[in-house]
Amino acid sequence: MENIPMTVFGAKALEAELLKLKDVSRPRIIEDIATARAHGDLKENAEYHAAKEEQSFIEGRIKEVESKLSRMQVIDVAKLNQNSRCVFGTTITLMNIEDDSETTYQIVGEDEADIALGKISCHSPIASALMGNEEGDEVTVKAPKGDIVYEILNVKYI
């Protein structure tokens, strides 16, 4: 199995999710199942079946998170100094050459990616195009609507 790259923040978030699943969600669903079971006939008990389905989901998610935590490779971005090169974990400010619009992204692991927060997966096309480049470089990103050319304005290791 391959390692899963993750920032320190992402690792802490995954650990917090696991704790919540085990300490809050699991006991709650066990209680819900017991309550539904007390209502009688299980064949036609929708509450019982819904609770069992949710329990299955929670247990599956616990196994998935535990697996990811066992394979994660935490990368502390603050300790990196790649001479303004774009690497995993860096926060990069880009300027679209075509319309001079600026955007900022942080390159993170797949589980941390959230475009609304400006976090892109290290496996995304834009991250792949940026990796290894440095401030001042122009990069071309292959996008579904066509190639987009960006200039790297700033690279931060935070």
Side-chain angles (χ1 to χ4, degrees), residues 35-49:
T35 302
R37 190 175 281 184
H39 290 153
D41 187 11
L42 298 181
K43 285 185 180 179
E44 296 180 15
N45 189 330
E47 285 179 30
Y48 175 78
H49 293 291

Side-chain angles (χ1 to χ4, degrees), residues 28-60:
R28 179 190 50 79
I29 198 65
I30 289 171
E31 191 175 301
D32 289 351
I33 290 170
T35 302
R37 190 175 281 184
H39 290 153
D41 187 11
L42 298 181
K43 285 185 180 179
E44 296 180 15
N45 189 330
E47 285 179 30
Y48 175 78
H49 293 291
K52 289 297 281 183
E53 188 174 315
E54 186 178 357
Q55 181 186 37
S56 176
F57 172 79
I58 289 170
E59 293 301 325

Side-chain angles (χ1 to χ4, degrees), residues 59-72:
E59 293 301 325
R61 182 64 183 157
I62 287 171
K63 286 181 181 176
E64 180 183 1
V65 171
E66 286 176 336
S67 173
K68 288 178 181 182
L69 287 172
S70 71
R71 295 180 292 132
M72 78 176 168

Side-chain angles (χ1 to χ4, degrees), residues 17 19 27-28 37 39 45 54 80 119 121 142 154:
E17 180 186 356
L19 279 175
R28 179 190 50 79
R37 190 175 281 184
H39 290 153
N45 189 330
E54 186 178 357
L80 295 176
K119 296 181 176 195
S121 168
K142 304 276 185 205
N154 192 338

